[in-house]
Every structure is written in structure tokens, then in C-alpha cells.
């Protein structure tokens, strides 16, 4: 049976931004089917997980970038053995900081960003691209790539995604999923602090984790070759278990 990997993009990140990673994966593993799936309708409160479960193929590996990784974690926990494994790409357990999870974006910073998005979505999306690219070797080029691939998103959908990021906490999902897990982080990430990697490994020591010290939050687009190699090594190890 042909192996299947599903990739989910992040908030305000178009599926096209994951095409370089998809290409790198398929070049190294022609046998692998790699699909990039759009995010669900996040403005449908409580229904997004049902939509993902109904739409995405079962018995596949699930991977996601940032918010996409958080959604993949929830789906993996629901599916259990029907999910081959879980891969998070610059995906925190909680995007904004909590008393019991400080390794995240400060609450006041997140709230200010959310309010700015409601007032001026277009300007906020431009600022978001710059934040995703901040810390990259060539941040200006990466930001332009992100802006070119950025979808035209309804402001209501953007707001719904931020509302979900405000409340979503994947700790129970990650702890409840017994399949193999790989979490990739970036050392220069302006949106998910590098300390989140250490916090995750301390909290859940049985997972696989790797930090790319010179990379930004745009890791999958910035370093598709290295990310593809890390994913394929992990998948091969998972198949040997």
C-alpha cells in the first residue's frame, strides 16, 4: 500500500507555500503520496474537527505548519491507530501563553495582533508575513514568497482562526496520541519561541524533536530540503516500529 502524507498549512498561509516541501519529499520518496489540504472552515465553531475527519484520508501521516500542526494533533488524537504518525512544523502546544505554558506568545501581544487584524486585515497580513520570515537568512525574499502564496481570505475566517488560536491547547491531544510524533522547531522563530521545544520535550519526553537553530517560523518554505529529510527519516523509523 502506498504511503500517504497529508500537509496542513497555518493561519493565513496558503497551501502553495507548502509546495516546495511537497516537491522535496516526492523527489526523495517517489513512492510517497503527498497531499496539501486547505484548512477547514474555522468560523464553524466546533465543526472544524468533524470536517477534517470527514475530508482527510484515514491511515495517513498527518503533518501541519503552526495552526495546521495544532489541528493535525487534534485529529490524530481522535483517530488513534487510524493515524500513522504526527508531524508538527513550528507548531506550539498553545499559541498564546498561559500560566501553565509560558513558552508562547505573550497574551497582550496576541490580543493586540488580533485587534489589529479586525481593524485592518490587509495590513495585518503583510505584517504577519514579515513576522513569519523574521530571523530567516533572507527574510525579505521569504516574506515576498509568503505574500505571493497568501490566499485571499475572508476577514471573518481570519478572525475565526485567531479566536481558535486563542483557546486551542493541544497538550491533551499529544499526550493521548500513542502513535509516533515528530516536532520540528526553528531557533529564530518570532511567533513560537524556541523555548517551546525544550518545554515540549520536558513535558513529553518520548517524542522525536529537532530544532533548526538558524531558521525562522517560515521553516517549511525556508528550508524544504532539510525539513523533507527530517520527515522521511522519521517516517522510516515509524515504519520499523
Amino acid at each position: 500500500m502506498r504511503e500517504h502524507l497529508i500537509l496542513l498549512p497555518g493561519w493565513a498561509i496558503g497551501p502553495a507555500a507548502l509546495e516546495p516541501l511537497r516537491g522535496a519529499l516526492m523527489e526523495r520518496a517517489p513512492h510517497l503520496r503527498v497531499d496539501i489540504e486547505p484548512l477547514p472552515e474555522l468560523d464553524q465553531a466546533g465543526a472544524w474537527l468533524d470536517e477534517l475527519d470527514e475530508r482527510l484520508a484515514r491511515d495517513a501521516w498527518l503533518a501541519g505548519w503552526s495552526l495546521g500542526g495544532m489541528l493535525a494533533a487534534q485529529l490524530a488524537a481522535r483517530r488513534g491507530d487510524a493515524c500513522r504518525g504526527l508531524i508538527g512544523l513550528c507548531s506550539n502546544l498553545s499559541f498564546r501563553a498561559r500560566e501553565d505554558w509560558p513558552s508562547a506568545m505573550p497574551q497582550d501581544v496576541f490580543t493586540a495582533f488580533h485587534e489589529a487584524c479586525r481593524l485592518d486585515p490587509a495590513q495585518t497580513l503583510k505584517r504577519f508575513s514579515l513576522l513569519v520570515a523574521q530571523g530567516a537568512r533572507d527574510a525579505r525574499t521569504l516574506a515576498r514568497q509568503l505574500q505571493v502564496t497568501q490566499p485571499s481570505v475572508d476577514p471573518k475566517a481570519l478572525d475565526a482562526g485567531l479566536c481558535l488560536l486563542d483557546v486551542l491547547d493541544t497538550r491533551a491531544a499529544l499526550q493521548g496520541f500513542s502513535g509516533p510524533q515528530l516536532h520540528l522547531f526553528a531557533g529564530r522563530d518570532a511567533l513560537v519561541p524556541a523555548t517551546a521545544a525544550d518545554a515540549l520535550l520536558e513535558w513529553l519526553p518520548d517524542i522525536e524533536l529537532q530544532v533548526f537553530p538558524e531558521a525562522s517560523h517560515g521553516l517549511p518554505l525556508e528550508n524544504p530540503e532539510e525539513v523533507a529529510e527530517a520527515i522521511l527519516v522519521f517516517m522510516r523509523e515509524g515504519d520499523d516500529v
Side-chain angles (χ1 to χ4, degrees):
M1 179 178 172
R2 190 181 184 192
E3 283 200 291
H4 189 185
L5 172 65
I6 295 172
L7 301 174
L8 295 175
W11 180 84
I13 296 175
L18 282 167
E19 283 293 349
L21 175 57
R22 180 177 182 269
L25 286 163
M26 296 187 69
E27 181 179 356
R28 286 168 169 74
H31 66 283
L32 180 65
R33 174 183 171 185
V34 183
D35 290 331
I36 305 171
E37 294 283 351
L39 294 185
E41 296 293 331
L42 298 175
D43 55 344
Q44 300 296 317
W48 59 266
L49 187 56
D50 292 334
E51 181 194 330
L52 280 179
D53 199 12
E54 182 177 347
R55 172 160 55 93
L56 303 187
R58 300 179 76 82
D59 297 314
W61 298 79
L62 297 176
W65 184 357
S66 197
L67 174 59
M70 300 177 80
L71 303 187
Q74 297 293 113
L75 182 57
R78 172 185 281 200
R79 289 185 168 182
D81 291 342
C83 173
R84 297 288 303 280
L86 173 66
I87 302 161
L89 309 172
C90 297
S91 183
N92 207 344
L93 282 71
S94 173
F95 188 76
R96 59 95 173 164
R98 305 171 189 274
E99 286 188 10
D100 57 349
W101 194 261
S103 297
M105 179 180 286
Q107 177 67 69
D108 58 338
V109 175
F110 178 84
T111 300
F113 184 88
H114 195 171
E115 290 175 352
C117 189
R118 285 173 170 166
L119 291 171
D120 192 341
Q123 185 62 32
T124 303
L125 285 181
K126 183 177 180 179
R127 179 188 169 204
F128 176 69
S129 297
L130 295 174
L131 287 171
V132 172
Q134 185 175 317
R137 289 186 299 271
D138 187 351
R140 293 179 65 182
T141 298
L142 183 60
R144 285 196 295 269
Q145 288 178 295
L146 287 162
Q147 289 167 13
V148 167
T149 59
Q150 214 163 44
S152 177
V153 183
D154 178 13
K156 290 183 178 179
L158 291 173
D159 185 68
L162 290 175
C163 287
L164 183 57
L165 279 170
D166 189 28
V167 300
L168 193 57
D169 185 332
T170 63
R171 280 176 286 185
L174 296 181
Q175 196 167 44
F177 177 60
S178 60
Q181 296 185 39
L182 171 67
H183 297 271
L184 303 181
F185 290 89
R188 295 181 176 176
D189 196 321
L191 296 170
V192 174
T195 55
D198 293 331
L200 172 55
L201 198 57
E202 182 178 350
W203 181 73
L204 208 61
D206 293 334
I207 60 167
E208 296 288 329
L209 189 146
Q210 184 175 342
V211 178
F212 293 78
E214 305 299 319
S216 68
H217 191 72
L219 174 66
L221 179 58
E222 183 184 1
N223 296 323
E225 304 291 336
E226 294 89 341
V227 171
E229 185 62 29
I231 289 174
L232 292 173
V233 168
F234 165 71
M235 290 176 66
R236 287 194 291 269
E237 290 174 350
D239 283 337
D240 291 339
V241 175

